[in-house]
Amino acid sequence: MATPASRKPGLLLPALLTIAGVIVLCMLGAWQLERMGEKHAYLDRLQREAAGTPAPMPPSADWAKLDAAALDLTHVVAKGSYIDDRIAGVRTTIAAGPPGSRQLSGFGRWIFQAFRLEDGGIILVNRGFVPEGRLGQISPASGPDTIKGFLRAPESRNSFTPQDLPALREFYTRDPAAIAASLGQPPAPFYLEAAREGDGMTPPAGVDVRELIARIPDNHLQYALTWFGLALTLLGVFAAFAWQVRKGTDSAAKPSS
């Protein structure tokens, strides 16, 4: 009869836990691959829209029924007139472009202004980036205009985002409802980001959609490989454990000389 000290751990429970862990890890990896396919389809749509003819702005009467997140980065054209009494700024920092590129960068602000559409709806337009040292050059735009750009969903805050200063019309997130309130305008579920025109060196410099798309994270393949790698590691750990148990069992079974 084996004494308690000579008993070896069984393999059934570790095997069951290993199988469960591998299944969960593989499911997570497969989910990341599925998300990768969805992300690539989304990026392909953005590329096609950016290269194509912009769609008309959704009628303002329908805005309350629209999903701002689903419309994010939709290429549109807006016709109307600027409401030229006030502007608001959203603090930001733009990284310098790659060698040989020309773009405004550094610490500055996105310039927001209200725009009245032909159907009477009012939407905020992010006219573009202005370096902090050149803010004095910027005044409200005025008169009728046709703006090509991209609908954007509100930007979310996190625990590190400073508090906005609506009395100064100074913000730290692109939140169209809060910015519109500071400008005395009704809220809209999204805002319009004006597309870059010219060489991008004259403030306010609108956004280059190619840069926007390039900055959208696409890390799903790396995440999938990580989960699959963890599954293989778990199998390897179990195999090493089982080998040690088997080796100990075989040693215990050998008769002493």
Side-chain angles (χ1 to χ4, degrees), residues 10-27 227-228 230-242:
L11 293 177
L12 179 59
L13 180 60
L16 292 175
L17 293 175
T18 298
I19 291 171
V22 168
I23 290 174
V24 170
L25 292 169
C26 287
M27 288 176 64
W227 291 122
F228 290 136
L230 288 172
L232 289 174
T233 300
L234 184 56
L235 287 172
V237 169
F238 174 75
F241 172 76

Side-chain angles (χ1 to χ4, degrees), residues 58-195:
S60 59
D62 296 339
W63 288 357
K65 300 179 291 185
L66 299 178
D67 181 355
L71 290 173
D72 196 38
L73 286 173
T74 299
H75 193 193
V76 298
V77 59
K79 296 181 179 181
S81 298
Y82 278 105
I83 300 174
D84 60 3
D85 56 347
R86 286 175 289 183
I87 57 177
V90 178
R91 290 186 176 273
T92 189
T93 301
I94 302 296
S101 64
R102 285 169 51 82
Q103 67 178 47
L104 296 175
S105 60
F107 181 63
R109 306 187 197 192
W110 297 113
I111 299 300
F112 278 73
Q113 187 170 344
F115 188 79
R116 190 185 305 277
L117 299 165
E118 290 181 334
D119 70 357
I122 295 175
I123 190 169
L124 292 180
V125 175
N126 177 7
R127 293 169 51 197
F129 174 74
V130 180
E132 195 72 16
R134 301 177 69 176
L135 284 173
Q137 303 174 13
I138 305 303
S139 58
S142 61
D145 202 353
T146 298
I147 304 173
K148 294 180 181 179
F150 304 87
L151 292 179
R152 298 305 310 271
E155 188 175 26
S156 59
R157 303 179 67 88
N158 59 47
S159 57
F160 299 103
T161 304
Q163 289 299 311
D164 297 328
L165 302 172
L168 301 177
R169 299 193 296 278
E170 183 177 310
F171 296 85
Y172 290 87
T173 58
R174 286 169 279 186
D175 180 350
I179 298 171
S182 76
L183 296 174
Q185 302 298 334
F190 36 61
Y191 65 92
L192 178 60
E193 201 141 56

